[in-house]
């Protein structure tokens, strides 16, 4: 039974970490807002509502750090890019809670931007009387372009409050019973001489009588399908143009002002942490680049190794490395930052006593659930009378919504701790500019030669290769505060495209006069450093 908001507040005295785990199910939006306000009560945190969705829900961002926040490298952590992934929201919120309560030292060197929930309208469906895995916001959209928005959505045909699947016996259908589990349907493999026996649909009716089912959902635009990279034109849930929604526009407008972000960690279906992206030379050289660049692939592989050593669970059948219009790819291809994605959780791979597993994800899930005695995960197939299929056998059933992407809430703390540790390790690896080997050499006649090395003491370069090529990230700037007329040799301002991992660059000036000069070097996403030299 879910704890009420009152019971959650009553345990608030346990502190941020304790409060986060005081309930038995994923929080409501109201409970999330209470927790975010508690985080914002910390002196190092600032909570801002970027906008409200069409459904009246806040799009929050937490800015957490100390000192000169905009002159330190920053990591952006993003949850709720997919509305049905309630775990992603919880991981982002718990990261914020743990950051301010247990890891204050990390705030000295790094700024964190946390976007806990980019799909609050869809998230709310988890707690609704009718449960289904929703992606779209509350905007009224005519997905099938028949002039009637939301004309053919889901229908609860068996009255259980869940939207599952319906299968229709049809010799022209594409699906047949899986040989691995008779509860599961799989596509017939025609190359092996298999023929389908069922048509398979989401639980629905043909309400607009166009021969299609659930093609005009009573929900709007999906945040994770409406960004600019490979925007899926004319597809449902994407909209007519990218970044048309209040939440996506507000977030991107905000990000374009945050020059100090060097990396994103997005809790989403996309996963380049368990399995790094692969470099493709042909796609990398196209006018519109569709492959991770070669140097960035090496970085991805290095960070992936850190992730797999930190997060214990091994990924199962996680080959989703981005979908058209998603945020994970936008952050890399169009914003030029290092972009890392993970769902945070996978159904474990099940193997029987002989060591044999399942090739189908649903069959794997059901076998794993059966092995643990989990009874309430599947709606048994049951025949119904369907008005759109007279004379045909129609059955409703299937795995319940959220089961395959959402662990029980008592498992979340361990997942959150491991992902917090990973993000903090990533922060420790951020670009770190240092000035070394400073020398001041008198040349006579009032002239002094000043030399120094600028060193990036990090395994991560100051710029991703994509960021350097896009010219979007600011260059590393080296300033010497001597008057221009006193600089006999060298430039008052130097600009560098990038400084690689553990790479140094040497600089030299000849300056006329006496006193002190100060050299400042850096970029907001790589940090700043300075030194003062006596002439």
């Amino acid at each position: 039974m879910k704890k009420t908001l009152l019971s959650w507040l009553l345990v608030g005295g346990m502190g941020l970490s304790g409060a986060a785990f005081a309930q038995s199910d994923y929080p409501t939006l109201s409970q999330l807002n209470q927790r975010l306000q508690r985080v914002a009560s910390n002196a190092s945190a600032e909570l801002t509502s970027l906008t409200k969705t069409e459904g009246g829900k806040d799009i929050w961002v937490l800015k957490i750090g100390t000192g000169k926040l905009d002159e330190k490298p920053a990591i952006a952590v993003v949850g709720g890019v997919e509305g049905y992934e309630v775990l992603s929201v919880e991981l982002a919120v718990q990261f914020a809670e743990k950051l301010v309560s247990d890891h204050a030292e990390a705030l000295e060197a790094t700024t964190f931007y946390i976007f806990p929930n980019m799909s609050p309208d869809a998230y709310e469906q988890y707690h609704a009387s009718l449960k289904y895995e929703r992606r779209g916001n509350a905007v009224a959209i005519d997905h099938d372009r028949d002039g009637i928005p939301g004309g053919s959505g889901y229908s609860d045909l068996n009255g259980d409050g869940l939207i599952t699947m319906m299968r229709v016996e049809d010799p022209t259908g594409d699906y047949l019973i899986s040989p691995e589990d008779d509860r599961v349907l799989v596509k017939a493999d025609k190359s092996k001489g298999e023929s389908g026996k069922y048509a398979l649909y989401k639980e629905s009716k043909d309400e607009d009588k166009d021969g299609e089912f659930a093609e005009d959902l009573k929900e709007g635009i999906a945040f994770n399908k409406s960004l600019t990279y490979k925007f899926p034109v004319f597809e449902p849930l994407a909209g007519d143009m990218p970044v048309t929604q209040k939440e996506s526009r507000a977030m991107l407008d905000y990000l374009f002002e945050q020059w100090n972000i060097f990396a994103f960690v997005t809790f989403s279906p996309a996963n380049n942490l368990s399995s790094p992206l692969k470099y493709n030379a042909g796609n990398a050289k196209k006018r519109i680049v569709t492959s991770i660049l070669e140097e960035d692939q090496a970085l991805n592989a290095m960070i992936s190794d850190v992730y797999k050593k930190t997060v214990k669970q091994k990924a199962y059948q996680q080959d989703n490395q981005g979908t058209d219009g998603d945020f994970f790819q936008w952050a890399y291809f169009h914003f030029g930052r290092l972009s890392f994605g993970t769902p945070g959780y996978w159904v474990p791979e099940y193997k029987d006593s002989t060591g044999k597993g399942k090739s189908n994800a649903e069959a794997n899930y059901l076998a794993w659930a059966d092995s643990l005695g989990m009874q309430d995960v599947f709606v048994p197939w049951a025949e119904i009378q369907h008005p759109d299929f007279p004379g045909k056998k129609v059955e409703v059933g299937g795995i319940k919504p959220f089961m395959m992407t959402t662990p029980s809430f008592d498992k979340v703390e361990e997942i959150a701790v491991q992902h917090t540790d990973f993000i903090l390790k990533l922060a420790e690896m951020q670009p770190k500019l240092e000035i070394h080997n400073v020398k001041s050499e008198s040349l006579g006649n009032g002239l002094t030669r000043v030399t120094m090395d600028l060193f990036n003491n990090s395994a991560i370069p100051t710029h991703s290769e994509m960021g350097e090529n896009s010219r979007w990230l600011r260059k590393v700037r080296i300033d010497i505060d001597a008057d221009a007329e006193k600089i006999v040799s060298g430039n008052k301002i130097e600009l560098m495209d990038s400084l690689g991992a553990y790479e140094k660059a040497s600089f030299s000036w000849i300056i006329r006069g006496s006193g002190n000069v100060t050299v400042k070097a850096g970029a907001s996403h790589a940090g700043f450093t300075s030194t003062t030299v006596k002439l």
Side-chain angles (χ1 to χ4, degrees), residues 94-272:
Q94 287 201 27
F95 172 70
E97 291 171 334
K98 295 176 188 304
L99 191 61
V100 299
S101 65
D102 302 328
H103 301 286
E105 71 286 352
L107 306 180
E108 298 175 7
T110 310
T111 301
F112 296 90
Y113 299 93
I114 302 169
F115 302 83
N117 191 356
M118 294 309 302
S119 306
D121 291 344
Y123 177 96
E124 204 170 34
Q125 206 69 43
Y126 179 84
H127 292 286
S129 57
L130 180 63
K131 290 180 170 54
Y132 63 91
E133 295 181 355
R134 176 173 164 179
R135 298 183 68 192
N137 61 13
V139 173
I141 297 292
D142 181 13
H143 293 294
D144 63 352
R145 302 175 188 271
D146 66 353
I148 305 173
S152 187
Y154 300 132
S155 299
D156 185 9
L157 300 173
N158 60 355
D160 64 355
L162 306 171
I163 296 300
T164 52
M165 304 299 293
M166 65 180 189
R167 65 186 190 187
V168 182
E169 284 194 354
D170 186 343
T172 68
D174 294 326
Y175 290 85
L176 46 75
I177 301 293
S178 169
E180 295 183 321
D181 192 313
D182 61 10
R183 294 168 291 183
V184 175
L185 271 67
V186 294
K187 274 204 166 185
D189 188 343
K190 296 179 181 179
S191 67
K192 296 180 180 179
E194 296 177 348
S195 62
K197 299 185 184 303
Y198 293 92
L200 188 64
Y201 308 92
K202 275 284 192 179
E203 194 176 348
S204 56
K205 297 178 182 177
D206 182 11
E207 295 174 311
D208 55 4
K209 306 304 178 186
D210 63 356
E212 302 290 336
F213 292 85
E215 82 286 0
D216 193 11
L217 300 175
K218 295 178 176 64
E219 59 187 87
I221 302 301
F223 174 83
N224 210 37
K225 199 176 181 179
S226 59
L227 278 297
T228 55
Y229 179 72
K230 297 174 72 175
F231 175 69
V233 181
F234 297 130
E235 288 190 15
L237 298 174
D240 293 332
M241 295 184 293
V243 198
T244 59
Q245 302 305 291
K246 294 177 181 179
E247 50 267 48
S248 56
R249 173 67 66 180
M251 183 197 200
L252 267 58
D253 283 347
Y254 182 84
L255 288 175
F256 281 127
E257 297 297 324
Q258 312 311 315
W259 294 97
N260 58 331
I261 295 173
F262 79 93
F264 285 83
V265 176
T266 304
F267 294 114
S268 75
N271 182 8
N272 69 331

Side-chain angles (χ1 to χ4, degrees), residues 396-435:
V396 170
I399 296 172
K400 292 184 177 182
F402 302 102
M403 290 296 173
M404 292 186 64
T405 59
T406 312
S408 60
F409 196 75
D410 62 325
K411 306 295 184 186
V412 176
E413 180 178 2
E414 182 181 7
I415 298 171
V417 167
Q418 292 176 18
H419 283 84
T420 295
D421 289 346
F422 163 71
I423 296 171
L424 294 176
K425 288 178 180 179
L426 177 62
E428 291 173 357
M429 298 172 69
Q430 69 190 27
K432 185 180 180 183
L433 295 179
E434 300 172 349
I435 293 174

Side-chain angles (χ1 to χ4, degrees), residues 16 25-26 57 67 83 208 230 252 255 257 264 280 359 373 441 451 508:
L16 289 169
D25 198 5
Y26 290 85
K57 314 298 189 303
D208 55 4
K230 297 174 72 175
L252 267 58
L255 288 175
E257 297 297 324
F264 285 83
N280 181 294
S359 61
E441 177 187 2
T451 59
S508 176

